[in-house]
Amino acid sequence: MAERIATLVLSGGGAKGAFEVGAERVLREEFGFRWERIFGVSVGALNGTLLAQEEYARLMNLWLTIREGDIYKKIPWPLVAFRVGIQSKLGFYDNTPLRALIQKHAAGRPFRIPAHVGRVSLVSGEYEQVDSTAPDFLDAVWHSATMPVIWEAIGSMAYVDGGLRNVTPLGDALNSQPKEIVVITCNSARMDTIKPPSNILDVAKRSLTDITINEILRNDVEEFVRINDLVKQAHDAGVTLKKPDGTPYVYCPIVTIEPEKPLGDTLDFSQETIRLRMRHGEEVARSVIQQTGVARPQLAATLPTPEHPTPA
């Protein structure tokens, strides 16, 4: 099977990141994709880190054994009110378990593929890209996956989820002059309908992680595809389109893998839901690549069963 070299871009989406894991496995194992660089924000930063270390079994096992308590400490509403009202905490819950999870699975392991993650500072308001050679890279992964309000902003720069400004870091990926880009997103074009929010956490999740993030994501991808198509049309007509700084736009083939249906609650880490999301990622990836006419082996790999947690 011939290798297909591409740059991988992974979006945010909380527990819906299981979709990315299923889709990426199919692209790599069944269709021969090999990643020259990986860009990720939020849960895409976590997934991208282990993929860049080529820790494929570790990443799969992480998702097949993950629990809500591995990500954050959920506490009763009276204590939430105490945290926010009396202790002046800037988030409902504590996500330090996520930092421990990242350290357990990624610390001390070499990067085989260059990785890049994004975080946003609430102090500067700016998006920052951090690459895998940086000494604080794993902290940046934690920052990137910290949803504001739901979890407390981190450090003196108040770092939070990179998806606030850059749900799919396509611009970052384009600057690396890729041969091809594959974007795997966790959000479908169709929003799911839910019951009216029953508490302020539901309001925050629905507003920030569902509606706002999904809108930024749709705009990012649609704008990229629109400009990409215009660049190709202009090139075919013998015209070169240029950016405001005078440098030419360059056409880049892009494959987008996205859910065909809503994937549910961003913070739903139940094992049944994780497996359904992972399988849906596998199915969509196969469907999209088959439509492009790329052949694959006759025997498709199947989703493995859970193992004992991978040793640290």
Side-chain angles (χ1 to χ4, degrees), residues 21 24 80 87-88 92 136 165 171-172 181 187 192 220 248 258 262 276 278 280-281 283 285 301:
V21 176
E24 189 279 336
V80 171
Q87 295 183 315
S88 299
F92 297 139
D136 67 337
R165 296 201 62 168
D172 296 340
I181 292 178
N187 295 280
D192 54 338
D220 279 359
E258 65 179 18
L276 288 172
M278 201 175 289
H280 187 52
E283 294 164 357

Side-chain angles (χ1 to χ4, degrees), residues 90-147:
L90 301 180
F92 297 139
Y93 298 136
D94 176 359
N95 78 330
T96 52
L98 175 59
R99 185 177 190 276
L101 184 78
I102 294 167
Q103 291 292 325
K104 174 184 177 181
H105 289 282
R109 296 182 173 86
F111 284 86
R112 313 292 184 184
I113 303 167
H116 311 263
V117 302
R119 62 188 178 189
V120 169
S121 166
L122 296 183
V123 175
S124 69
E126 296 298 324
Y127 173 87
E128 300 178 8
Q129 178 183 292
V130 182
D131 67 62
S132 49
T133 63
D136 67 337
F137 179 77
L138 293 186
D139 280 337
V141 174
W142 179 38
H143 301 158
S144 185
T146 296
M147 292 182 283

Side-chain angles (χ1 to χ4, degrees), residues 15-68:
K16 293 183 281 189
F19 175 88
E20 295 177 341
V21 176
E24 189 279 336
R25 186 190 67 79
V26 165
L27 295 175
R28 176 172 38 81
E29 292 184 2
E30 300 183 20
F31 295 99
F33 277 87
R34 295 295 177 264
W35 313 121
E36 57 184 348
R37 287 183 181 274
I38 300 176
F39 294 82
V41 294
S42 195
V43 72
L46 172 61
N47 288 337
T49 294
L50 294 184
L51 290 174
Q53 294 177 338
E54 297 186 347
E55 292 282 354
Y56 306 126
R58 181 178 290 274
L59 178 62
M60 182 67 71
N61 199 48
L62 185 159
W63 278 99
L64 291 175
T65 58
I66 199 167
R67 298 292 185 271
E68 184 179 70

Side-chain angles (χ1 to χ4, degrees), residues 25 57 60-61 64 275 278-279 282 301-307:
R25 186 190 67 79
M60 182 67 71
N61 199 48
L64 291 175
R275 286 171 165 276
M278 201 175 289
R279 290 191 182 281
E282 293 176 340
T302 57
L303 182 66
T305 56
E307 304 169 359

Side-chain angles (χ1 to χ4, degrees), residues 9-312:
V9 176
L10 299 171
S11 82
K16 293 183 281 189
F19 175 88
E20 295 177 341
V21 176
E24 189 279 336
R25 186 190 67 79
V26 165
L27 295 175
R28 176 172 38 81
E29 292 184 2
E30 300 183 20
F31 295 99
F33 277 87
R34 295 295 177 264
W35 313 121
E36 57 184 348
R37 287 183 181 274
I38 300 176
F39 294 82
V41 294
S42 195
V43 72
L46 172 61
N47 288 337
T49 294
L50 294 184
L51 290 174
Q53 294 177 338
E54 297 186 347
E55 292 282 354
Y56 306 126
R58 181 178 290 274
L59 178 62
M60 182 67 71
N61 199 48
L62 185 159
W63 278 99
L64 291 175
T65 58
I66 199 167
R67 298 292 185 271
E68 184 179 70
D70 296 327
I71 306 300
Y72 68 105
K73 298 175 183 176
K74 193 169 185 178
I75 58 178
W77 276 109
L79 290 181
V80 171
F82 179 78
R83 277 174 55 86
V84 176
I86 305 301
Q87 295 183 315
S88 299
K89 297 289 187 180
L90 301 180
F92 297 139
Y93 298 136
D94 176 359
N95 78 330
T96 52
L98 175 59
R99 185 177 190 276
L101 184 78
I102 294 167
Q103 291 292 325
K104 174 184 177 181
H105 289 282
R109 296 182 173 86
F111 284 86
R112 313 292 184 184
I113 303 167
H116 311 263
V117 302
R119 62 188 178 189
V120 169
S121 166
L122 296 183
V123 175
S124 69
E126 296 298 324
Y127 173 87
E128 300 178 8
Q129 178 183 292
V130 182
D131 67 62
S132 49
T133 63
D136 67 337
F137 179 77
L138 293 186
D139 280 337
V141 174
W142 179 38
H143 301 158
S144 185
T146 296
M147 292 182 283
V149 181
I150 296 173
W151 296 319
E152 191 166 14
I154 300 166
S156 60
M157 294 300 291
Y159 287 119
V160 294
D161 193 337
L164 278 185
R165 296 201 62 168
N166 215 2
V167 180
T168 49
L170 281 166
D172 296 340
L174 279 172
N175 290 335
S176 68
Q177 300 180 328
K179 298 179 179 65
E180 180 178 10
I181 292 178
V182 174
V183 179
I184 307 179
T185 77
C186 301
N187 295 280
S188 69
R190 179 169 58 89
M191 290 285 295
D192 54 338
T193 301
I194 66 170
K195 295 179 180 179
S198 61
N199 55 59
I200 193 170
L201 175 61
D202 288 344
V203 173
K205 286 195 298 180
R206 185 63 169 170
S207 302
L208 289 171
T209 64
D210 290 346
I211 298 173
T212 301
I213 295 296
N214 191 62
E215 180 67 16
I216 296 171
L217 169 66
R218 306 308 314 170
N219 290 342
D220 279 359
V221 175
E222 289 173 6
E223 181 70 3
F224 174 86
V225 171
R226 184 182 68 84
I227 293 176
N228 211 32
D229 287 344
L230 290 174
V231 170
K232 188 175 187 304
Q233 291 176 36
H235 181 270
D236 292 344
V239 176
T240 299
L241 298 182
K242 295 185 178 181
K243 304 175 186 177
D245 64 4
T247 58
Y249 282 102
V250 178
Y251 173 77
C252 180
I254 181 172
V255 175
T256 301
I257 311 291
E258 65 179 18
E260 295 178 344
K261 56 187 177 184
L263 295 181
D265 190 339
T266 303
L267 296 182
D268 182 356
F269 288 93
S270 65
Q271 281 300 297
E272 179 182 3
T273 303
I274 293 294
R275 286 171 165 276
L276 288 172
R277 290 165 174 169
M278 201 175 289
R279 290 191 182 281
H280 187 52
E282 293 176 340
E283 294 164 357
V284 173
R286 289 192 189 103
S287 175
V288 169
I289 301 303
Q290 286 170 347
Q291 288 175 16
T292 69
V294 179
R296 67 180 177 91
Q298 292 297 312
L299 295 177
T302 57
L303 182 66
T305 56
E307 304 169 359
H308 295 294
T310 306

